[in-house]
Amino acid sequence: MWTKDHPIDQIIGDQQAGVQSRRGIGNICLYVNFLSLIEPKKVNEALADPCWITAMQEELSQFERNKVWRLVPRPSRKTIIGTKWVFRNKMDEEGTVIRNKALLVAQGYRQEEGIDYDETFAPVARLEAIRIFLAHAAYKNFRVFQMDVKSAFLNGELAEEVYVKQPPRFEDPVHPDYVY
């Protein structure tokens, strides 16, 4: 038998409060319970927080998914570049933490220009390029959408082999002395 009323014995909480949907309470939760508000300075601090461990694992899974590297035996007479973790909280326009981002970066002080590299790249758009893009889109009457990108990778072939150490505290247990 169908009825428009929900059985009173199945109502959880205050009956006078009205109906609350997940969408309606989403702004109240703001994922605060699932994010760290503190940016760690060292790997040990990050490894003590499950939120940052998840962020670090996301970064490494992006490397695997995009086939950025492969684990190989350490070559002799080659410069091995170190890696380090950088931790950042991404915030919205109101200053609320919306995402923990762990970045694995190369330690650039181990490289020498002209010997270890000839060119540098950064996945950052210049403000002038964004302005030109938006002006062209407006001129052509294109619809433009904004999206959040978890990771950005440059698609280019390297002219030389680059070897980096395994990320600190994420070394392969079978081959801890191998490099990427």
Side-chain angles (χ1 to χ4, degrees):
M1 180 173 162
W2 182 85
T3 177
K4 67 179 182 78
D5 295 325
H6 191 76
I8 293 176
D9 62 327
Q10 291 186 3
I11 296 175
I12 300 171
D14 185 12
Q15 297 177 21
Q16 308 303 324
V19 177
Q20 288 186 332
S21 66
R22 282 180 289 206
R23 183 179 202 153
I25 63 171
N27 290 336
I28 296 168
C29 295
L30 291 174
Y31 308 105
V32 170
N33 294 330
F34 306 107
L35 296 172
S36 175
L37 303 177
I38 298 168
E39 289 181 356
K41 301 292 183 225
K42 299 185 184 228
V43 176
N44 292 338
E45 294 173 23
L47 290 171
D49 189 337
C51 301
W52 286 109
I53 293 171
T54 301
M56 294 161 81
Q57 289 171 335
E58 281 179 11
E59 176 80 346
L60 292 174
S61 69
Q62 288 292 330
F63 277 51
E64 294 294 327
R65 188 175 301 123
N66 290 306
K67 298 180 178 150
V68 172
W69 56 25
R70 61 180 199 276
L71 198 58
V72 297
R74 184 184 193 108
S76 61
R77 290 185 242 143
K78 292 283 187 175
T79 302
I80 309 299
I81 301 168
T83 57
K84 73 177 220 169
W85 287 103
V86 177
F87 305 101
R88 295 282 182 260
N89 281 330
K90 299 290 183 177
M91 298 184 191
D92 64 7
E93 60 277 353
E94 296 170 358
T96 304
V97 175
I98 57 172
R99 187 162 176 245
N100 297 132
K101 180 74 176 164
L103 301 167
L104 184 65
V105 299
Q107 293 175 325
Y109 59 82
R110 294 267 311 163
Q111 300 166 292
E112 292 184 42
E113 186 175 358
I115 296 172
D116 294 321
Y117 69 91
D118 294 320
E119 301 177 69
T120 60
F121 302 95
V124 177
R126 295 183 59 178
L127 188 56
E128 294 84 11
I130 294 170
R131 286 183 179 149
I132 291 169
F133 168 75
L134 291 174
H136 184 70
Y139 176 74
K140 293 285 191 174
N141 204 22
F142 291 155
R143 183 178 288 176
V144 177
F145 297 93
Q146 177 184 350
M147 60 184 261
D148 184 29
V149 177
K150 278 195 173 195
S151 64
F153 288 93
L154 296 172
N155 294 320
E157 295 295 321
L158 295 175
E160 59 202 60
E161 292 180 338
V162 177
Y163 298 95
V164 295
K165 290 182 182 177
Q166 295 184 53
R169 305 296 290 268
F170 284 89
E171 292 88 2
D172 184 278
V174 179
H175 303 289
D177 54 336
Y178 277 30
V179 295
Y180 285 108

PDB file of all heavy atoms in Angstrom, residues 104-132:
ATOM      1  N   LEU A 104      55.633  16.218  -5.831  1.00  0.00           N
ATOM      2  CA  LEU A 104      56.951  15.618  -5.825  1.00  0.00           C
ATOM      3  C   LEU A 104      57.794  16.396  -6.832  1.00  0.00           C
ATOM      4  O   LEU A 104      57.463  16.446  -8.012  1.00  0.00           O
ATOM      5  CB  LEU A 104      56.885  14.143  -6.200  1.00  0.00           C
ATOM      6  CG  LEU A 104      58.208  13.395  -6.119  1.00  0.00           C
ATOM      7  CD1 LEU A 104      58.699  13.339  -4.668  1.00  0.00           C
ATOM      8  CD2 LEU A 104      58.070  12.006  -6.688  1.00  0.00           C
ATOM      9  N   VAL A 105      58.846  17.034  -6.355  1.00  0.00           N
ATOM     10  CA  VAL A 105      59.672  17.882  -7.219  1.00  0.00           C
ATOM     11  C   VAL A 105      61.119  17.410  -7.178  1.00  0.00           C
ATOM     12  O   VAL A 105      61.556  16.760  -6.235  1.00  0.00           O
ATOM     13  CB  VAL A 105      59.585  19.369  -6.797  1.00  0.00           C
ATOM     14  CG1 VAL A 105      58.167  19.882  -6.912  1.00  0.00           C
ATOM     15  CG2 VAL A 105      60.097  19.572  -5.385  1.00  0.00           C
ATOM     16  N   ALA A 106      61.837  17.769  -8.234  1.00  0.00           N
ATOM     17  CA  ALA A 106      63.265  17.451  -8.300  1.00  0.00           C
ATOM     18  C   ALA A 106      64.034  18.508  -7.527  1.00  0.00           C
ATOM     19  O   ALA A 106      63.664  19.677  -7.504  1.00  0.00           O
ATOM     20  CB  ALA A 106      63.727  17.423  -9.751  1.00  0.00           C
ATOM     21  N   GLN A 107      65.097  18.094  -6.890  1.00  0.00           N
ATOM     22  CA  GLN A 107      65.956  19.033  -6.171  1.00  0.00           C
ATOM     23  C   GLN A 107      66.900  19.661  -7.194  1.00  0.00           C
ATOM     24  O   GLN A 107      67.911  19.082  -7.567  1.00  0.00           O
ATOM     25  CB  GLN A 107      66.731  18.320  -5.072  1.00  0.00           C
ATOM     26  CG  GLN A 107      65.825  17.809  -3.965  1.00  0.00           C
ATOM     27  CD  GLN A 107      66.580  16.998  -2.929  1.00  0.00           C
ATOM     28  OE1 GLN A 107      67.517  16.288  -3.247  1.00  0.00           O
ATOM     29  NE2 GLN A 107      66.145  17.102  -1.691  1.00  0.00           N
ATOM     30  N   GLY A 108      66.566  20.848  -7.643  1.00  0.00           N
ATOM     31  CA  GLY A 108      67.280  21.508  -8.726  1.00  0.00           C
ATOM     32  C   GLY A 108      68.694  21.916  -8.407  1.00  0.00           C
ATOM     33  O   GLY A 108      69.502  22.112  -9.318  1.00  0.00           O
ATOM     34  N   TYR A 109      69.063  22.038  -7.146  1.00  0.00           N
ATOM     35  CA  TYR A 109      70.410  22.485  -6.809  1.00  0.00           C
ATOM     36  C   TYR A 109      71.473  21.441  -7.153  1.00  0.00           C
ATOM     37  O   TYR A 109      72.656  21.722  -7.131  1.00  0.00           O
ATOM     38  CB  TYR A 109      70.518  22.869  -5.334  1.00  0.00           C
ATOM     39  CG  TYR A 109      70.195  21.765  -4.362  1.00  0.00           C
ATOM     40  CD1 TYR A 109      71.144  20.809  -4.012  1.00  0.00           C
ATOM     41  CD2 TYR A 109      68.934  21.680  -3.785  1.00  0.00           C
ATOM     42  CE1 TYR A 109      70.848  19.792  -3.129  1.00  0.00           C
ATOM     43  CE2 TYR A 109      68.629  20.665  -2.893  1.00  0.00           C
ATOM     44  CZ  TYR A 109      69.594  19.732  -2.572  1.00  0.00           C
ATOM     45  OH  TYR A 109      69.292  18.733  -1.696  1.00  0.00           O
ATOM     46  N   ARG A 110      71.053  20.229  -7.516  1.00  0.00           N
ATOM     47  CA  ARG A 110      72.004  19.180  -7.905  1.00  0.00           C
ATOM     48  C   ARG A 110      72.332  19.230  -9.391  1.00  0.00           C
ATOM     49  O   ARG A 110      73.124  18.450  -9.881  1.00  0.00           O
ATOM     50  CB  ARG A 110      71.433  17.805  -7.574  1.00  0.00           C
ATOM     51  CG  ARG A 110      71.260  17.529  -6.116  1.00  0.00           C
ATOM     52  CD  ARG A 110      72.421  16.843  -5.527  1.00  0.00           C
ATOM     53  NE  ARG A 110      72.791  15.696  -6.362  1.00  0.00           N
ATOM     54  CZ  ARG A 110      73.936  15.092  -6.307  1.00  0.00           C
ATOM     55  NH1 ARG A 110      74.847  15.504  -5.485  1.00  0.00           N
ATOM     56  NH2 ARG A 110      74.211  14.069  -7.078  1.00  0.00           N
ATOM     57  N   GLN A 111      71.698  20.143 -10.143  1.00  0.00           N
ATOM     58  CA  GLN A 111      71.893  20.207 -11.573  1.00  0.00           C
ATOM     59  C   GLN A 111      72.756  21.404 -11.944  1.00  0.00           C
ATOM     60  O   GLN A 111      72.772  22.407 -11.239  1.00  0.00           O
ATOM     61  CB  GLN A 111      70.543  20.331 -12.279  1.00  0.00           C
ATOM     62  CG  GLN A 111      69.626  19.150 -12.003  1.00  0.00           C
ATOM     63  CD  GLN A 111      68.217  19.456 -12.424  1.00  0.00           C
ATOM     64  OE1 GLN A 111      67.562  20.294 -11.833  1.00  0.00           O
ATOM     65  NE2 GLN A 111      67.758  18.787 -13.463  1.00  0.00           N
ATOM     66  N   GLU A 112      73.449  21.291 -13.075  1.00  0.00           N
ATOM     67  CA  GLU A 112      74.237  22.394 -13.593  1.00  0.00           C
ATOM     68  C   GLU A 112      73.770  22.693 -15.012  1.00  0.00           C
ATOM     69  O   GLU A 112      73.701  21.788 -15.852  1.00  0.00           O
ATOM     70  CB  GLU A 112      75.724  22.035 -13.599  1.00  0.00           C
ATOM     71  CG  GLU A 112      76.315  21.890 -12.209  1.00  0.00           C
ATOM     72  CD  GLU A 112      77.817  21.628 -12.256  1.00  0.00           C
ATOM     73  OE1 GLU A 112      78.505  22.288 -13.063  1.00  0.00           O
ATOM     74  OE2 GLU A 112      78.277  20.767 -11.502  1.00  0.00           O
ATOM     75  N   GLU A 113      73.460  23.962 -15.260  1.00  0.00           N
ATOM     76  CA  GLU A 113      72.987  24.366 -16.578  1.00  0.00           C
ATOM     77  C   GLU A 113      74.039  24.048 -17.634  1.00  0.00           C
ATOM     78  O   GLU A 113      75.227  24.290 -17.445  1.00  0.00           O
ATOM     79  CB  GLU A 113      72.678  25.862 -16.584  1.00  0.00           C
ATOM     80  CG  GLU A 113      72.041  26.328 -17.873  1.00  0.00           C
ATOM     81  CD  GLU A 113      71.629  27.783 -17.817  1.00  0.00           C
ATOM     82  OE1 GLU A 113      71.804  28.427 -16.782  1.00  0.00           O
ATOM     83  OE2 GLU A 113      71.135  28.256 -18.849  1.00  0.00           O
ATOM     84  N   GLY A 114      73.581  23.476 -18.744  1.00  0.00           N
ATOM     85  CA  GLY A 114      74.482  23.102 -19.818  1.00  0.00           C
ATOM     86  C   GLY A 114      75.050  21.709 -19.672  1.00  0.00           C
ATOM     87  O   GLY A 114      75.496  21.109 -20.640  1.00  0.00           O
ATOM     88  N   ILE A 115      75.044  21.167 -18.437  1.00  0.00           N
ATOM     89  CA  ILE A 115      75.555  19.805 -18.206  1.00  0.00           C
ATOM     90  C   ILE A 115      74.378  18.864 -17.958  1.00  0.00           C
ATOM     91  O   ILE A 115      74.210  17.863 -18.648  1.00  0.00           O
ATOM     92  CB  ILE A 115      76.533  19.772 -17.009  1.00  0.00           C
ATOM     93  CG1 ILE A 115      77.760  20.622 -17.345  1.00  0.00           C
ATOM     94  CG2 ILE A 115      76.924  18.337 -16.669  1.00  0.00           C
ATOM     95  CD1 ILE A 115      78.701  20.813 -16.185  1.00  0.00           C
ATOM     96  N   ASP A 116      73.553  19.203 -16.972  1.00  0.00           N
ATOM     97  CA  ASP A 116      72.418  18.347 -16.626  1.00  0.00           C
ATOM     98  C   ASP A 116      71.129  18.740 -17.344  1.00  0.00           C
ATOM     99  O   ASP A 116      70.192  17.973 -17.392  1.00  0.00           O
ATOM    100  CB  ASP A 116      72.172  18.373 -15.115  1.00  0.00           C
ATOM    101  CG  ASP A 116      73.324  17.748 -14.349  1.00  0.00           C
ATOM    102  OD1 ASP A 116      73.867  16.742 -14.825  1.00  0.00           O
ATOM    103  OD2 ASP A 116      73.671  18.277 -13.286  1.00  0.00           O
ATOM    104  N   TYR A 117      71.059  19.945 -17.859  1.00  0.00           N
ATOM    105  CA  TYR A 117      69.860  20.364 -18.588  1.00  0.00           C
ATOM    106  C   TYR A 117      70.194  21.544 -19.488  1.00  0.00           C
ATOM    107  O   TYR A 117      71.132  22.293 -19.261  1.00  0.00           O
ATOM    108  CB  TYR A 117      68.724  20.720 -17.625  1.00  0.00           C
ATOM    109  CG  TYR A 117      68.958  21.979 -16.814  1.00  0.00           C
ATOM    110  CD1 TYR A 117      68.521  23.210 -17.272  1.00  0.00           C
ATOM    111  CD2 TYR A 117      69.623  21.932 -15.593  1.00  0.00           C
ATOM    112  CE1 TYR A 117      68.739  24.366 -16.536  1.00  0.00           C
ATOM    113  CE2 TYR A 117      69.843  23.068 -14.851  1.00  0.00           C
ATOM    114  CZ  TYR A 117      69.391  24.282 -15.335  1.00  0.00           C
ATOM    115  OH  TYR A 117      69.608  25.418 -14.606  1.00  0.00           O
ATOM    116  N   ASP A 118      69.412  21.669 -20.550  1.00  0.00           N
ATOM    117  CA  ASP A 118      69.546  22.805 -21.467  1.00  0.00           C
ATOM    118  C   ASP A 118      68.311  23.701 -21.412  1.00  0.00           C
ATOM    119  O   ASP A 118      68.387  24.895 -21.633  1.00  0.00           O
ATOM    120  CB  ASP A 118      69.748  22.324 -22.902  1.00  0.00           C
ATOM    121  CG  ASP A 118      71.084  21.599 -23.058  1.00  0.00           C
ATOM    122  OD1 ASP A 118      72.077  22.062 -22.464  1.00  0.00           O
ATOM    123  OD2 ASP A 118      71.117  20.585 -23.773  1.00  0.00           O
ATOM    124  N   GLU A 119      67.158  23.090 -21.154  1.00  0.00           N
ATOM    125  CA  GLU A 119      65.914  23.850 -21.125  1.00  0.00           C
ATOM    126  C   GLU A 119      65.152  23.530 -19.843  1.00  0.00           C
ATOM    127  O   GLU A 119      65.342  22.467 -19.260  1.00  0.00           O
ATOM    128  CB  GLU A 119      65.026  23.468 -22.312  1.00  0.00           C
ATOM    129  CG  GLU A 119      65.664  23.699 -23.661  1.00  0.00           C
ATOM    130  CD  GLU A 119      64.745  23.220 -24.764  1.00  0.00           C
ATOM    131  OE1 GLU A 119      63.708  23.859 -24.956  1.00  0.00           O
ATOM    132  OE2 GLU A 119      65.073  22.208 -25.391  1.00  0.00           O
ATOM    133  N   THR A 120      64.313  24.449 -19.431  1.00  0.00           N
ATOM    134  CA  THR A 120      63.444  24.198 -18.286  1.00  0.00           C
ATOM    135  C   THR A 120      61.999  24.397 -18.713  1.00  0.00           C
ATOM    136  O   THR A 120      61.709  25.174 -19.621  1.00  0.00           O
ATOM    137  CB  THR A 120      63.755  25.150 -17.112  1.00  0.00           C
ATOM    138  OG1 THR A 120      63.560  26.493 -17.553  1.00  0.00           O
ATOM    139  CG2 THR A 120      65.169  24.948 -16.608  1.00  0.00           C
ATOM    140  N   PHE A 121      61.099  23.686 -18.051  1.00  0.00           N
ATOM    141  CA  PHE A 121      59.682  23.771 -18.357  1.00  0.00           C
ATOM    142  C   PHE A 121      58.897  23.880 -17.063  1.00  0.00           C
ATOM    143  O   PHE A 121      59.290  23.319 -16.054  1.00  0.00           O
ATOM    144  CB  PHE A 121      59.212  22.525 -19.116  1.00  0.00           C
ATOM    145  CG  PHE A 121      59.954  22.290 -20.394  1.00  0.00           C
ATOM    146  CD1 PHE A 121      61.048  21.444 -20.430  1.00  0.00           C
ATOM    147  CD2 PHE A 121      59.566  22.928 -21.563  1.00  0.00           C
ATOM    148  CE1 PHE A 121      61.742  21.213 -21.599  1.00  0.00           C
ATOM    149  CE2 PHE A 121      60.251  22.715 -22.738  1.00  0.00           C
ATOM    150  CZ  PHE A 121      61.344  21.860 -22.762  1.00  0.00           C
ATOM    151  N   ALA A 122      57.797  24.598 -17.126  1.00  0.00           N
ATOM    152  CA  ALA A 122      56.900  24.689 -15.978  1.00  0.00           C
ATOM    153  C   ALA A 122      55.462  24.667 -16.491  1.00  0.00           C
ATOM    154  O   ALA A 122      55.130  25.402 -17.417  1.00  0.00           O
ATOM    155  CB  ALA A 122      57.153  25.977 -15.195  1.00  0.00           C
ATOM    156  N   PRO A 123      54.610  23.820 -15.902  1.00  0.00           N
ATOM    157  CA  PRO A 123      53.220  23.741 -16.362  1.00  0.00           C
ATOM    158  C   PRO A 123      52.376  24.882 -15.809  1.00  0.00           C
ATOM    159  O   PRO A 123      51.411  24.669 -15.095  1.00  0.00           O
ATOM    160  CB  PRO A 123      52.759  22.386 -15.835  1.00  0.00           C
ATOM    161  CG  PRO A 123      53.564  22.203 -14.596  1.00  0.00           C
ATOM    162  CD  PRO A 123      54.896  22.847 -14.866  1.00  0.00           C
ATOM    163  N   VAL A 124      52.775  26.103 -16.133  1.00  0.00           N
ATOM    164  CA  VAL A 124      52.068  27.286 -15.640  1.00  0.00           C
ATOM    165  C   VAL A 124      51.721  28.166 -16.833  1.00  0.00           C
ATOM    166  O   VAL A 124      52.570  28.406 -17.694  1.00  0.00           O
ATOM    167  CB  VAL A 124      52.951  28.072 -14.648  1.00  0.00           C
ATOM    168  CG1 VAL A 124      52.253  29.333 -14.188  1.00  0.00           C
ATOM    169  CG2 VAL A 124      53.323  27.205 -13.462  1.00  0.00           C
ATOM    170  N   ALA A 125      50.501  28.644 -16.891  1.00  0.00           N
ATOM    171  CA  ALA A 125      50.094  29.541 -17.967  1.00  0.00           C
ATOM    172  C   ALA A 125      50.403  30.978 -17.572  1.00  0.00           C
ATOM    173  O   ALA A 125      50.129  31.394 -16.451  1.00  0.00           O
ATOM    174  CB  ALA A 125      48.604  29.386 -18.247  1.00  0.00           C
ATOM    175  N   ARG A 126      50.981  31.711 -18.487  1.00  0.00           N
ATOM    176  CA  ARG A 126      51.261  33.126 -18.224  1.00  0.00           C
ATOM    177  C   ARG A 126      49.967  33.907 -18.325  1.00  0.00           C
ATOM    178  O   ARG A 126      49.060  33.570 -19.102  1.00  0.00           O
ATOM    179  CB  ARG A 126      52.276  33.653 -19.224  1.00  0.00           C
ATOM    180  CG  ARG A 126      53.632  32.981 -19.064  1.00  0.00           C
ATOM    181  CD  ARG A 126      54.635  33.554 -19.992  1.00  0.00           C
ATOM    182  NE  ARG A 126      54.777  34.986 -19.730  1.00  0.00           N
ATOM    183  CZ  ARG A 126      55.615  35.768 -20.361  1.00  0.00           C
ATOM    184  NH1 ARG A 126      56.384  35.278 -21.301  1.00  0.00           N
ATOM    185  NH2 ARG A 126      55.689  37.043 -20.068  1.00  0.00           N
ATOM    186  N   LEU A 127      49.861  34.973 -17.556  1.00  0.00           N
ATOM    187  CA  LEU A 127      48.653  35.785 -17.540  1.00  0.00           C
ATOM    188  C   LEU A 127      48.344  36.345 -18.924  1.00  0.00           C
ATOM    189  O   LEU A 127      47.181  36.410 -19.332  1.00  0.00           O
ATOM    190  CB  LEU A 127      48.804  36.912 -16.502  1.00  0.00           C
ATOM    191  CG  LEU A 127      47.556  37.731 -16.219  1.00  0.00           C
ATOM    192  CD1 LEU A 127      46.408  36.837 -15.779  1.00  0.00           C
ATOM    193  CD2 LEU A 127      47.836  38.772 -15.162  1.00  0.00           C
ATOM    194  N   GLU A 128      49.373  36.715 -19.677  1.00  0.00           N
ATOM    195  CA  GLU A 128      49.165  37.248 -21.023  1.00  0.00           C
ATOM    196  C   GLU A 128      48.512  36.209 -21.927  1.00  0.00           C
ATOM    197  O   GLU A 128      47.647  36.523 -22.739  1.00  0.00           O
ATOM    198  CB  GLU A 128      50.488  37.711 -21.641  1.00  0.00           C
ATOM    199  CG  GLU A 128      51.127  38.884 -20.941  1.00  0.00           C
ATOM    200  CD  GLU A 128      51.973  38.479 -19.734  1.00  0.00           C
ATOM    201  OE1 GLU A 128      52.252  37.275 -19.549  1.00  0.00           O
ATOM    202  OE2 GLU A 128      52.336  39.379 -18.965  1.00  0.00           O
ATOM    203  N   ALA A 129      48.931  34.942 -21.792  1.00  0.00           N
ATOM    204  CA  ALA A 129      48.363  33.869 -22.611  1.00  0.00           C
ATOM    205  C   ALA A 129      46.889  33.661 -22.275  1.00  0.00           C
ATOM    206  O   ALA A 129      46.066  33.439 -23.169  1.00  0.00           O
ATOM    207  CB  ALA A 129      49.145  32.577 -22.406  1.00  0.00           C
ATOM    208  N   ILE A 130      46.551  33.760 -21.007  1.00  0.00           N
ATOM    209  CA  ILE A 130      45.154  33.603 -20.601  1.00  0.00           C
ATOM    210  C   ILE A 130      44.320  34.752 -21.149  1.00  0.00           C
ATOM    211  O   ILE A 130      43.210  34.554 -21.651  1.00  0.00           O
ATOM    212  CB  ILE A 130      45.048  33.517 -19.062  1.00  0.00           C
ATOM    213  CG1 ILE A 130      45.728  32.231 -18.575  1.00  0.00           C
ATOM    214  CG2 ILE A 130      43.596  33.559 -18.610  1.00  0.00           C
ATOM    215  CD1 ILE A 130      45.892  32.141 -17.078  1.00  0.00           C
ATOM    216  N   ARG A 131      44.844  35.964 -21.088  1.00  0.00           N
ATOM    217  CA  ARG A 131      44.117  37.126 -21.629  1.00  0.00           C
ATOM    218  C   ARG A 131      43.887  36.991 -23.127  1.00  0.00           C
ATOM    219  O   ARG A 131      42.803  37.280 -23.628  1.00  0.00           O
ATOM    220  CB  ARG A 131      44.885  38.404 -21.322  1.00  0.00           C
ATOM    221  CG  ARG A 131      44.790  38.818 -19.886  1.00  0.00           C
ATOM    222  CD  ARG A 131      45.518  40.128 -19.654  1.00  0.00           C
ATOM    223  NE  ARG A 131      45.401  40.529 -18.275  1.00  0.00           N
ATOM    224  CZ  ARG A 131      46.312  41.219 -17.635  1.00  0.00           C
ATOM    225  NH1 ARG A 131      47.409  41.622 -18.244  1.00  0.00           N
ATOM    226  NH2 ARG A 131      46.135  41.538 -16.367  1.00  0.00           N
ATOM    227  N   ILE A 132      44.910  36.565 -23.850  1.00  0.00           N
ATOM    228  CA  ILE A 132      44.760  36.386 -25.306  1.00  0.00           C
ATOM    229  C   ILE A 132      43.720  35.318 -25.601  1.00  0.00           C
ATOM    230  O   ILE A 132      42.868  35.484 -26.477  1.00  0.00           O
ATOM    231  CB  ILE A 132      46.123  36.033 -25.950  1.00  0.00           C
ATOM    232  CG1 ILE A 132      47.051  37.247 -25.882  1.00  0.00           C
ATOM    233  CG2 ILE A 132      45.951  35.557 -27.383  1.00  0.00           C
ATOM    234  CD1 ILE A 132      48.494  36.944 -26.246  1.00  0.00           C
TER     235      ILE A 132
END
